[in-house]
Amino acid sequence: MDFLHRNGVLVIQHLQKDYRAYYNFLSFMSNVGDPRNIFSIYFPLWFQLNQTVGTKMIWVAVIGDWFNLIFKWILFGDRPYWWVQETQIYPNHSSPCLEQFPTTCETGPGSPSGHAMGSSCVWYVMVTAALSHSVSHIDKSSATLHRLIWSFLWSLFWLIQISVCISRVFIATHFPHQVILGVIGGMLVAEAFEHTPGIQTASLSTYLKTNLFLFLFALGFYLLLGLLDIDLLWSVPIAKKWCANPDWIHIDTTPFAGLVRNLGVLFGLGFAINSEMFLRSCRGENGYKLSFRLLCGTASLTTLQLYHFIKIPTHEEHLFYVLSFCKSASIPLTVVALIPYCIHMLMKPSEKKIN
């Protein structure tokens, strides 16, 4: 691993030295790959365009991030910004100098990259959905047009993934091999869900059982390794020790914070998609109207941006996890059930007047 780490540091130094002028763009691309944007931007847009794709997107994102957590606990991957300080391979304490940024100091293990994995799995879902739509709407004789669309979409996919990977390496929060593993892992998870149609008809009981399994497995794995004197939170004190600015340390980057967030989203989706409000609005006659879906999409995106102003207190860790679960569960509830139902009720009086 020292070979990968040493050469990874050289790549980071090259990027920070020669591409410092592109910091704003790279910071933006890092945000594009942020798993939290899946729920606040990609999901509300796609769910109103195509409920099948939106539902699959949540499942892929949650299961992908869960696998990411388990692999991080297994692989014990260092992050560059602390590895250069902890390693003994550089003689005479001549550790390379890596610049840190406000988004550098993530506290969990580094391999595989969660941003790269989340980005690749969700964009894989979006690209395959767009290609499937194009195939069904383009004349079979237009083979050239189909190839052009195929080439454009997959080129866009790889352009975004490479940009996200470079951005994560640039800020010294990941080594190159960690982002490559993340991209491959995300694509494998997404491809697996291409052959799992059962999630579209999953009952609330299935969502609850899945949530319970994911939580108990992760907790059991954590406790089991704890009994073997393996501390799975080993990276948190190291991150706090070597982060250049204590204000850049955030509790929402800890391993359990991501798990709680994902479990909340999956629970909220299961509750919402099996609710009476969803059945009356999105599965009713309004659900097929373009105006209804556009209103729902716009209202959902606007409402979820307001969620960023809701700050969860971080002074008490257990309280933070409970509130984070509730806030995450409210996102799909808002997008899938609450907003569509409200718009459905507002459209009913106007329809009666027309009649």
Side-chain angles (χ1 to χ4, degrees):
M1 292 304 293
D2 283 344
F3 172 79
L4 289 174
H5 290 156
R6 184 196 287 267
N7 285 282
V9 168
L10 294 176
V11 173
I12 296 169
Q13 288 181 307
H14 168 67
L15 290 174
Q16 292 188 346
K17 178 183 176 183
D18 295 342
Y19 296 92
R20 186 66 176 78
Y22 297 96
Y23 168 72
N24 290 333
F25 170 74
L26 293 171
S27 179
F28 170 75
M29 290 311 301
S30 183
N31 288 329
V32 167
D34 192 329
R36 288 169 291 193
N37 288 333
I38 297 169
F39 309 128
S40 61
I41 298 176
Y42 303 141
F43 167 65
L45 275 174
W46 273 95
F47 189 83
Q48 302 307 334
L49 288 173
N50 188 313
Q51 292 172 11
T52 299
V53 177
T55 302
K56 185 194 296 182
M57 186 177 289
I58 290 293
W59 277 89
V60 166
V62 169
I63 300 301
D65 208 43
W66 183 82
F67 272 115
N68 182 264
L69 172 67
I70 299 301
F71 279 118
K72 279 182 174 176
W73 280 348
I74 293 172
L75 297 177
F76 290 88
D78 288 296
R79 293 186 184 271
Y81 74 92
W82 78 56
W83 181 83
V84 293
Q85 306 292 341
E86 295 274 321
T87 185
Q88 303 296 321
I89 69 170
Y90 295 105
N92 303 323
H93 304 285
S94 57
S95 299
C97 181
L98 297 182
E99 185 176 359
Q100 295 184 24
F101 303 90
T103 52
T104 295
C105 300
E106 296 198 3
T107 56
S111 187
S113 166
H115 278 62
M117 194 165 179
S119 175
S120 66
C121 70
V122 168
W123 278 93
Y124 190 95
V125 170
M126 290 192 283
V127 167
T128 52
L131 284 173
S132 177
H133 178 78
S134 69
V135 167
S136 61
H137 286 78
I138 293 176
D139 192 273
K140 291 182 179 179
S141 61
S142 304
T144 304
L145 179 58
H146 176 67
R147 280 198 296 267
L148 284 172
I149 293 173
W150 187 93
S151 300
F152 170 75
L153 289 175
W154 283 116
S155 296
L156 178 65
F157 172 85
W158 284 111
L159 179 65
I160 290 171
Q161 302 322 309
I162 291 170
S163 298
V164 169
C165 290
I166 291 174
S167 72
R168 301 302 289 170
V169 174
F170 172 84
I171 63 174
T173 199
H174 285 296
F175 291 102
H177 70 278
Q178 295 174 342
V179 293
I180 292 171
L181 281 175
V183 170
I184 294 172
M187 292 176 67
L188 289 174
V189 171
E191 178 59 29
F193 274 91
E194 292 293 317
H195 310 284
T196 315
I199 58 173
Q200 302 299 333
T201 55
S203 63
L204 178 59
S205 173
T206 301
Y207 278 91
L208 293 176
K209 289 175 182 176
T210 303
N211 247 21
L212 191 62
F213 170 78
L214 296 178
F215 174 72
L216 291 178
F217 186 97
L219 182 63
F221 190 67
Y222 174 80
L223 294 175
L224 176 63
L225 292 186
L227 291 174
L228 299 174
D229 290 328
I230 300 174
D231 182 13
L232 292 180
L233 300 180
W234 61 273
S235 60
V236 177
I238 299 177
K240 291 179 179 179
K241 178 181 179 182
W242 295 115
C243 184
N245 187 338
D247 294 335
W248 295 347
I249 295 285
H250 301 290
I251 192 174
D252 61 353
T253 65
T254 58
F256 276 111
L259 175 66
V260 169
R261 180 176 64 244
N262 291 322
L263 293 180
V265 169
L266 192 62
F267 170 79
L269 177 65
F271 192 80
I273 215 164
N274 289 282
S275 68
E276 191 69 24
M277 287 193 293
F278 171 75
L279 296 175
R280 287 189 180 184
S281 54
C282 295
R283 289 289 167 87
E285 59 182 34
N286 276 334
Y288 300 97
K289 296 178 180 177
L290 179 60
S291 58
F292 174 78
R293 288 185 288 169
L294 286 174
L295 281 171
C296 288
T298 304
S300 296
L301 282 173
T302 304
T303 304
L304 293 184
Q305 300 319 302
L306 299 177
Y307 275 43
H308 294 305
F309 295 101
I310 302 175
K311 301 299 182 184
I312 299 176
T314 58
H315 59 275
E316 174 56 49
E317 192 171 358
H318 293 93
L319 177 63
F320 171 82
Y321 290 143
V322 171
L323 294 178
S324 180
F325 179 90
C326 295
K327 182 181 177 181
S328 299
S330 69
I331 292 174
L333 278 170
T334 300
V335 172
V336 175
L338 186 59
I339 286 179
Y341 184 74
C342 290
I343 293 175
H344 167 72
M345 295 304 292
L346 289 172
M347 291 178 73
K348 284 181 69 176
S350 61
E351 290 172 0
K352 289 179 180 178
K353 288 178 183 178
I354 292 172
N355 294 332

